[in-house]
Amino acid sequence: MKKISILLSLAVLTFSCKQYTKPADQKSTTKKEQSLTSDFDTATIKKHLYTLASDDMQGRATGTPGIEKAAQYIENEFKKIGLSYYDTLTSYRQNFEERNIKMFNVVGVLEGKSKKDEYVIVSAHYDHLEMLKEGEGDRIYNGANDDASGVTGVIALAEYFKNKGTNERSIVFVCFTAEEMGLIGSKYFGKGINADKFVAGINLELIGKEPKTGPKTAWLTGFDRSDFGKIIQKNLEGTGYKLYPDPYPKYNLFFRSDNASLARLGVPSHTFSTTPIDTDPDYHKVTDEAETLDVNVLTETIKAVAIGTSSIINGKDTPTRVTIK
């Protein structure tokens, strides 16, 4: 009888412990989700998106007055946030010339603390396509999803990490030019860096629509090329948000966005996206306007990138290098 009583007591104790710890786990998960909610204001994110994708920007084609307006907007936001200039630059512009066109990336830096000589790049391209020269009706390629959504993410994350003040590594926020012309801006940027000091590349592209994997999900290009994606997945545990590998391998997307320019140098640089590009009716169309995007999807994705990359930003995790064969 004594042995049975002991066994029963242990069973009750085990059951009681389970009953006690489960609510605590749920509370922790809820706290993790709520802590991000207050850091990102949907109205501000909407303002960035609608401004960058407005008709006033005329499609933001490289070398046009429209992209100049977009650059000025980004620069003003970087200044308000309090980002520093990059390397030896005397402004947020990294000027260069290609194909007889004066071009410039827009770059701001948040210096790290204990690992300030190690860099994480957060990027998106701010250019898009030229207006149609003739025809009736809408002639502007607003590029809301491609890639005003990504630039909105860069600005929002710059403000978030500046306010947090926990980045042990330095963060370089870059809005690349001339992606649509063949990744020209990111290639130029890559030529001037010591790739060994860049530990990760966080590129954002087409993040304003719900993917086929459902709400609160995103996908990552080149998932198997480093353990970057696995680090993100681990950090997202308990948030209700999930990251998946690129579901469109036949499109070779890893090499079609600005992450590729750094990845070719060995940097574990990957692109976050949410859009079901195989069925998206607005890609590279004049219909790619802000109204076709879901600002809640955009906001949730930016939140997920913030918490998913946190251990890389604070110096705890270092993704494995990328090898291009």
Side-chain angles (χ1 to χ4, degrees), residues 103-120:
M103 304 180 180
F104 41 87
N105 296 319
V106 183
V107 192
V109 178
L110 183 58
E111 187 174 88
K113 297 173 177 60
S114 63
K115 298 183 177 183
K116 68 178 182 179
D117 292 327
E118 297 180 10
Y119 299 91
V120 177

Side-chain angles (χ1 to χ4, degrees), residues 140-160:
I140 301 174
Y141 290 97
N142 299 78
N145 204 22
D146 184 18
D147 191 27
S149 67
V151 175
T152 295
V154 171
I155 296 171
L157 289 168
E159 184 175 13
Y160 168 78

Side-chain angles (χ1 to χ4, degrees), residues 26 28-38 216 238-241 303 307:
Q26 288 176 338
S28 176
T29 298
T30 303
K31 186 177 180 181
K32 200 172 186 181
E33 291 178 304
Q34 288 177 343
S35 67
L36 277 179
T37 303
S38 60
K216 289 195 175 185
T239 65
Y241 201 102
K303 290 179 188 177
I307 197 166

